[in-house]
Amino acid sequence: MNRMPAGELTGTKLGALTVGDAVFGFLRERGIDRVFGNPGSTELPMFVDLPQDFSYVLGLQESIVVAMADAHAQVTGRASFVNLHSAAGLGHAMGNLYTAYRNRAPLIVTTGQQTRDLLPHDPFLFNESPVELPKPYVKWAIEPARAEDVPAAIARAYHMAMQAPRGPVLVSVPLSDWDKPAVETAPRTVETALGCDAKALDNIAAKLDAAREPVIVVGPGVDIDGAWDETVRLAERLQAKVWVNPLSSRCSFPERHPLFAGFLPARQPALQQCFKDADFVLVLGGPAFTYHFPGTGGHIPQGTELCLITDDPHQIAGAVAGMAVRSDMKAAADGLTSRVSAREKRADLPARTIARLPVSRHITPGLLYQTLDELRSPDSIIVEEAPTARGALHDHFPIERPRGFFATASGGLGYGLPAAVGAALTRPDKPVLAIMGDGSSLYAIQSLWSAVEYDADLMVIVLNNGGYAALKGMADPGSRVDGVDIGHMDFKAIAEAQGCKAARCDDGAKLSSCLEEMLRQKGPRLLEVILSEEESAMNVMVQNETTPGAPEKFFIGGEWVDPLSSAKLDVISPVTEELVLSYPEASTADMDRAVAAARDAFDNGPWPRMSPSERAGYLRKVADLLTERLDDIAHAWTLQVGAPIMLTKKLVGQNPTLFNYYADLIETYPFVDERSRDDGGKVKVVKEPVGVCAAITPWNAPLVLLSYKVSAALASGCTMVAKPSPETPLEAYILAECIQKAGIPDGVFNLVPAGRESGDHLVRHKDIDKVAFTGSTMAGKKIAAACSERLARVSLELGGKSAAVLLDDADFGAAMMPLMMYTMPITGQVCFSLTRILVPESRKQEFVDMYVGAVKNIKVGDPFDPETQMGPLTMKRQLERVQGYIAAGREQGATVACGGGRPAGMDKGFYIEPTVFVDVDPSMKIAQEEIFGPVVSIISYTDEDDAARKANDSSYGLSGAVFTANPERGYAMARRMRTGSVTVNGMIVDPKHPFGGFKESGMGREGGPEGLDNYIETKTIHFA
């Protein structure tokens, strides 16, 4: 290769200055006066005799160096200069180099290399592949061929880093190059902003003007490009609600603005449900979209258009739908604002409300963020890396300034703490707050040394929950997750060992004063906050304890309040017949307090006025919290009712299912239906919440039956007063705890356990707009009569005497499994139990032999024994009731085929044998009345007409089943049965589908969309 004389390169004689002089001269011109590094021998010539106007910021590990430089660049908007040690140092830094790439942080990374003379000889401490090693997470990489080319390579690297989309670049510099002669880099001006095509803007503006409900999604690019104000003006002109791109690493819209709608979830179908009302989605400065978990369904609702505006070609190529335009965010937002028409101010604002949490001595992430938000300056810079608490941050810690929030865009940990140090070294007017998870902070805990060394004004808050709680939360409930516990770490001691002031807070009552004191200080300091699961103020249930604490208060108006009466209610063990606990009974005055709280929350509070999507968010939080408490709920159900633990553990999942189901439903439910009159006029038919509701539930399935009511009522926008059965209050307390923890506004849900007198007072209360009741038919009739006096709305799910019809072609063996499960569930104490089995006369004995044989093998015993299939009846009066019906059956001539007495050896507890009667006439008491115990009547029929007649020979009509080899024949029989639900070849009760009764089994439906309709009033609005 021909060599050009050095002096002919530029016409300037070499030797006037060194490579180091030229490089630092170029950096000086670009406003770069810091070197972030962790030096080694291959970089020594660079930082020996560093120019006096430059400072060297030392990080004790290379990943710390990169993260400090990353945040420094993001806060200042200028490139940062980084020095790493050869291949080993670059390898240490790769995690945060990847984060810088995803953060779009402009970094000029130099790595040391052995002297050029040694490179052919495989020397110690060199980099075999300096250009390939960092790829693809640098925009450009080079090891210049000659020493004199280094300054030009640094200049080119700078311009590459600053071009959109910004990002890190790398230059490998042999150690011998720094002292070699060089020339100054040529002065240049490079414009980095991207303009936006005018025709594209005209097209997008026309679509926005034509859209009925445009929404805006903001990504980190808005904040990166300094387009905060322009985006706010565009949103206000359009009156468009604004969502944040999933898992955004920057804040790009003020989160207390009335148009701010919230944070898009990183999964489907939840993400597209946020757009259910939108017909045009404009995404600014972020991908469309980022997902974290697999999902189902489309990316956006059918018929909705999407437009992405970004400066990133990768995001344009990877967009899930719609059109895309490449542009700077500032130019795009400004250009659209000048083109779109201004709209009238919306009436449905604010788009979201921030719920307040009560102060307790247990510190939850939500309480921490709420308290910190009240005390910190809104101008402070937040650097966050606490994945477990990200939801609480979104809910209770609104960001209100541009360049005010930074997080890892890659999802990798180890960025946040050193990034906060780098941000603090920009010397902002307001302090930098680093909010770190305990596990996250340990990736780079020695960053505190740098904070102390350079006197960074930085407050670090470590959320100590004993390990990687985010991973535990992703695992299936109850499963073991290894390698996530780090409970013995002392972060206060670790900080103090590095010279950093530190304190610890583990009491929610002292949290405010601790934070206030730390915020008042200057310099680096750390506060270790001990998080804990929020125990119930009632101490209702402690995991794995057999005896729960007794509730002491009521939940009224968002607070746990003392009762106004000294009266008590008792919970008696159905196994031992002994007292389990006593707890307060609500008086009529307590009921008045609860109704007043619910009335105020409905008339004046935010809940009925929230968008359905916002209410859905709260319901999903309740579902998540209930999921965490499933073992507690199952334990309480078994303890109070005597239902086998193997059964309650299977059934408790219905509770979060109901809350999730109604959350999903209301995001697509037609709350407003636009119609036209014959004269062409417009009509809007509006579905509105009925108002303040009373939920009165029985003892047999305490929480499931309450969840049916609460989930639907709250989804509709109603407020509620719940009165659970006196015998089984515990699950209702768990629900109240979950509702409080979810941050649902005060007064929306109120819990007041009571007996009959206060219950009657609640039903007759003038401020109760609707009563939802599950229980006996006799009680239901009284409630309906009381509601009729003021025409209050009422829904009733009452008793049953359900029939299972086995047609003559039925496979008895296949039918046996569902019959064994649903003829005597929970010791027969279920309203939809199939307590009448109708069999063809010709096959009667065949069935009796098979069914009675199976019943005799039912294991009756301790309900907490996983092998037990049937426990006791729930209470003494229930045992006496069932014994009375068995006696009546015998007296009227029916034959006991099995059972009929107490199980052998079980003299204690409310036990009864599973009992089967044969030779039963349909007119007998045991065939006509609801027994609510494990007593089944087998009745024969002659033909299908006789079967249908006998199935309908009841004042009840709740449920039923048909068994046949021909499903169409089964469907035909099901249509003849006067009952609210029928299953062909099985028995199914699905909370996502309606359930309720004909005749004396009630009125109204629970579950499915029909369950929501229970809590809806219809309003017609005509436009003249």
Side-chain angles (χ1 to χ4, degrees):
M1 181 177 181
N2 294 329
R3 181 175 177 181
M4 184 180 291
E8 296 179 14
L9 287 171
T10 61
T12 302
K13 186 176 180 181
L14 289 174
L17 76 170
T18 66
V19 168
D21 294 334
V23 168
F24 285 115
F26 173 80
L27 296 177
R28 190 178 288 112
E29 290 173 1
R30 300 297 166 178
I32 300 172
D33 59 2
R34 278 191 172 94
V35 179
F36 292 88
N38 179 267
S41 58
T42 54
E43 302 83 55
L44 190 61
M46 186 198 73
F47 58 85
V48 168
D49 296 326
L50 196 70
Q52 290 187 354
D53 58 337
F54 278 75
S55 59
Y56 194 97
V57 180
L58 174 61
L60 299 185
Q61 205 264 4
E62 287 85 347
S63 66
I64 292 172
V65 170
V66 172
M68 288 194 298
D70 174 324
H72 195 277
Q74 290 196 72
V75 173
T76 62
R78 300 192 301 268
S80 290
F81 190 76
V82 178
N83 162 230
L84 301 177
H85 180 42
S86 194
L90 179 58
H92 290 159
M94 278 302 295
N96 275 335
L97 189 64
Y98 170 57
T99 294
Y101 177 78
R102 296 302 298 259
N103 283 350
R104 298 168 56 175
L107 305 183
I108 307 166
V109 179
T110 60
T111 56
Q113 177 64 291
Q114 267 293 1
T115 180
R116 290 181 185 272
D117 295 342
L118 295 179
L119 292 183
H121 309 300
D122 194 21
F124 188 63
L125 286 177
F126 93 117
N127 192 340
E128 289 93 333
S129 303
V131 176
E132 286 76 21
L133 178 57
K135 290 181 179 178
Y137 304 127
V138 293
K139 294 180 65 180
W140 184 67
I142 190 173
E143 183 173 272
R146 305 177 304 166
E148 54 263 43
D149 297 332
V150 170
I154 295 289
R156 182 175 178 180
Y158 169 83
H159 293 302
M160 286 291 293
M162 294 297 288
Q163 290 292 321
R166 293 179 173 186
V169 293
L170 183 137
V171 182
S172 172
V173 184
L175 72 89
S176 55
D177 286 6
W178 292 100
D179 294 330
K180 294 290 174 61
V183 296
E184 292 181 351
T185 57
R188 297 183 65 202
T189 300
V190 178
E191 178 57 54
T192 59
L194 287 173
C196 192
D197 181 73
K199 289 184 178 179
L201 286 177
D202 290 342
N203 183 25
I204 298 168
K207 289 178 178 291
L208 286 167
D209 278 339
R212 173 184 50 81
E213 182 70 36
V215 300
I216 297 174
V217 177
V218 292
V222 171
D223 196 39
I224 291 170
D225 288 352
W228 177 290
D229 293 337
E230 289 78 5
T231 302
V232 171
R233 285 195 290 271
L234 175 61
E236 290 176 343
R237 191 164 180 82
L238 288 169
Q239 285 297 289
K241 293 182 180 180
V242 179
W243 293 88
V244 175
N245 212 288
L247 304 171
S248 181
S249 60
R250 302 279 287 262
C251 175
S252 294
F253 198 85
E255 293 172 9
R256 277 197 172 93
H257 194 286
L259 289 168
F260 182 72
F263 302 85
L264 291 178
R267 67 187 187 281
Q268 292 289 10
L271 188 150
Q272 71 153 301
Q273 288 168 350
C274 296
F275 302 145
K276 67 180 182 60
D277 296 325
D279 53 356
F280 191 87
V281 178
L282 176 63
V283 182
L284 298 176
F289 297 100
T290 299
Y291 296 125
H292 190 196
F293 300 103
T296 59
H299 300 285
I300 56 175
Q302 190 172 5
T304 299
E305 285 193 76
L306 183 144
C307 175
L308 168 65
I309 303 179
T310 176
D311 60 11
D312 189 336
H314 294 289
Q315 293 177 358
I316 287 175
V320 297
M323 65 181 294
V325 177
R326 193 171 184 214
S327 172
D328 171 89
M329 293 306 101
K330 202 163 191 173
D334 207 28
L336 288 174
T337 302
S338 66
R339 285 171 167 81
V340 298
S341 303
R343 302 192 182 203
E344 292 184 6
K345 190 171 182 179
R346 303 179 69 112
D348 59 348
L349 300 179
R352 76 159 189 167
T353 57
I354 299 174
R356 277 201 56 79
L357 299 178
V359 175
S360 71
R361 65 184 184 87
H362 296 278
I363 304 176
T364 63
L367 179 61
L368 169 72
Y369 278 122
Q370 175 178 281
T371 309
L372 182 61
D373 180 62
E374 294 169 349
L375 298 173
R376 60 109 180 185
S377 165
D379 292 328
S380 52
I381 295 173
I382 307 301
V383 183
E384 181 265 353
E385 192 173 285
T388 307
R390 177 64 72 91
L393 178 141
H394 288 166
D395 292 341
H396 301 289
F397 197 80
I399 307 297
E400 299 182 80
R401 57 156 284 186
R403 293 186 182 174
F405 177 80
F406 300 91
T408 168
S410 71
L413 303 182
Y415 168 78
L417 188 52
V421 177
L425 291 179
T426 65
R427 307 297 180 193
D429 294 337
K430 301 299 180 183
V432 175
L433 305 179
I435 304 172
M436 303 294 302
D438 49 1
S440 303
S441 66
L442 290 173
Y443 282 73
I445 195 69
Q446 62 268 51
S447 306
L448 294 173
W449 181 92
S450 298
V452 173
E453 180 70 12
Y454 303 109
D455 193 29
D457 187 12
L458 169 65
M459 178 176 167
V460 179
I461 302 173
V462 175
L463 310 185
N464 189 345
N465 58 17
Y468 299 99
L471 293 178
K472 293 180 182 178
M474 293 178 189
D476 292 334
S479 60
R480 189 185 78 247
V481 184
D482 293 328
V484 296
D485 294 317
I486 53 172
H488 59 275
M489 299 301 298
D490 186 336
F491 291 92
K492 180 175 180 290
I494 292 172
E496 290 171 339
Q498 298 181 75
C500 179
K501 295 177 288 187
R504 179 181 294 115
C505 181
D506 60 2
D507 186 344
K510 298 177 181 177
L511 179 61
S512 180
S513 60
C514 287
L515 288 170
E516 197 168 8
E517 173 58 29
M518 295 297 281
L519 287 166
R520 191 165 34 242
Q521 297 177 24
K522 297 292 183 182
R525 64 270 194 205
L526 179 145
L527 177 63
E528 180 182 9
V529 177
I530 308 299
L531 299 181
S532 61
E533 286 295 321
E534 186 176 10
E535 284 184 19
S536 158
M538 302 297 93
N539 297 318
V540 165
M541 186 66 62
V542 180
Q543 191 88 19
N544 298 324
E545 288 197 8
T546 57
T547 304
E552 298 172 354
K553 299 184 179 183
F554 305 136
F555 187 64
I556 298 176
E559 298 179 333
W560 293 102
V561 301
D562 292 322
L564 298 176
S565 166
S566 60
K568 294 283 187 179
L569 294 167
D570 294 336
V571 175
I572 304 297
S573 168
V575 176
T576 66
E577 304 183 30
E578 296 174 354
L579 178 69
V580 175
L581 56 85
S582 295
Y583 69 100
E585 177 183 7
S587 64
T588 57
D590 291 308
M591 282 294 175
D592 289 340
R593 282 198 298 173
V595 174
R599 182 85 265 166
D600 183 64
F602 185 81
D603 291 345
N604 305 309
W607 189 253
R609 293 153 193 86
M610 287 183 184
S611 68
S613 294
E614 191 169 3
R615 286 200 299 272
Y618 284 103
L619 294 180
R620 291 191 180 100
K621 289 178 189 175
V622 174
D624 290 344
L625 293 165
L626 284 171
T627 300
E628 294 173 8
R629 301 291 299 275
L630 289 182
D631 283 346
D632 288 348
I633 296 166
H635 182 102
W637 193 352
T638 297
L639 178 74
Q640 300 167 112
V641 176
I645 193 70
M646 67 89 177
L647 180 62
T648 60
K649 284 193 171 185
K650 290 178 181 177
L651 297 179
V652 288
Q654 295 181 57
N655 297 290
T657 293
L658 281 160
F659 281 89
N660 278 323
Y661 169 72
Y662 281 111
D664 293 343
L665 179 65
I666 60 174
E667 290 182 324
T668 57
Y669 186 86
F671 283 98
V672 179
D673 182 20
E674 295 191 10
R675 306 179 188 177
S676 297
R677 294 192 304 273
D678 289 347
D679 63 3
K682 186 169 69 172
V683 179
K684 289 189 177 184
V685 179
V686 183
K687 304 290 188 179
E688 296 185 350
V690 70
V692 179
C693 300
I696 302 176
T697 50
W699 45 262
N700 58 323
L703 189 53
V704 172
L705 296 173
L706 183 58
S707 291
Y708 266 106
K709 296 166 178 58
V710 177
S711 58
L714 268 56
S716 73
C718 292
T719 60
M720 178 160 277
V721 177
K723 189 204 85 66
S725 169
E727 291 85 1
T728 55
L730 296 181
E731 294 99 311
Y733 274 94
I734 293 173
L735 176 60
E737 292 162 10
C738 293
I739 285 174
Q740 182 186 35
K741 194 171 183 179
I744 287 180
D746 297 349
V748 171
F749 177 81
N750 305 272
L751 174 63
V752 274
R756 187 166 299 174
E757 180 183 348
S758 294
D760 183 69
H761 182 76
L762 175 64
V763 167
R764 298 177 184 278
H765 203 291
K766 63 180 179 62
D767 281 330
I768 292 294
D769 299 306
K770 184 247 168 66
V771 175
F773 172 75
T774 297
S776 72
T777 296
M778 183 181 297
K781 289 178 178 179
K782 292 179 180 178
I783 287 172
C787 290
S788 69
E789 293 175 3
R790 63 184 193 285
L791 295 182
R793 305 299 184 259
V794 62
S795 57
L796 306 170
E797 197 265 282
L798 306 176
K801 195 68 182 176
S802 302
V805 180
L806 283 77
L807 297 182
D808 55 15
D809 64 348
D811 182 339
F812 288 174
M816 202 54 53
M817 178 73 74
L819 288 175
M820 292 304 297
M821 291 178 62
Y822 290 103
T823 51
M824 302 180 185
I826 312 182
T827 322
Q829 300 171 123
V830 176
C831 54
F832 58 74
S833 296
L834 299 172
T835 55
R836 294 182 298 146
I837 303 178
L838 275 58
V839 297
E841 181 66 43
S842 61
R843 299 182 66 189
K844 174 184 173 183
Q845 197 58 47
E846 174 191 353
F847 178 79
V848 169
D849 292 344
M850 187 179 295
Y851 180 72
V852 170
V855 171
K856 287 180 178 179
N857 286 322
I858 292 176
K859 182 178 179 181
V860 180
D862 180 356
F864 280 104
D865 181 346
E867 301 298 318
T868 293
Q869 296 171 306
M870 183 179 291
L873 294 161
T874 302
M875 59 201 73
K876 184 178 180 180
R877 71 170 185 269
Q878 198 62 24
L879 175 61
E880 293 171 347
R881 172 188 174 94
V882 173
Q883 288 171 330
Y885 275 104
I886 293 173
R890 285 181 168 129
E891 289 170 6
Q892 291 185 333
T895 302
V896 175
C898 68
R902 267 186 172 272
M906 293 186 177
D907 298 329
K908 196 78 167 175
F910 306 129
Y911 288 96
I912 192 76
E913 288 179 312
T915 301
V916 179
F917 277 102
V918 294
D919 303 324
V920 178
D921 186 276
S923 64
M924 289 181 181
K925 188 174 183 180
I926 57 172
Q928 286 293 319
E929 297 182 14
E930 184 179 41
I931 300 173
F932 226 56
V935 180
V936 171
S937 296
I938 298 176
I939 302 171
S940 61
Y941 66 86
T942 56
D943 55 26
E944 287 192 30
D945 289 340
D946 188 36
R949 181 181 60 77
K950 287 178 176 175
N952 292 327
D953 184 13
S954 173
S955 59
Y956 297 104
L958 187 58
S959 188
V962 181
F963 294 88
T964 174
N966 184 343
E968 289 303 317
R969 190 180 175 199
Y971 174 74
M973 175 58 71
R975 292 298 305 267
R976 298 180 70 177
M977 296 170 69
R978 296 287 295 162
T979 185
S981 65
V982 184
T983 305
V984 177
N985 290 328
M987 181 64 186
I988 297 172
V989 178
D990 185 341
K992 297 181 181 180
H993 297 278
F995 180 80
F998 288 14
K999 299 184 280 187
E1000 291 192 6
S1001 286
M1003 60 178 70
R1005 294 294 182 268
E1006 293 191 328
E1010 294 79 3
L1012 186 69
D1013 294 341
N1014 257 343
Y1015 301 91
I1016 293 291
E1017 292 278 23
T1018 299
K1019 176 185 290 184
T1020 304
I1021 302 175
H1022 291 273
F1023 292 84

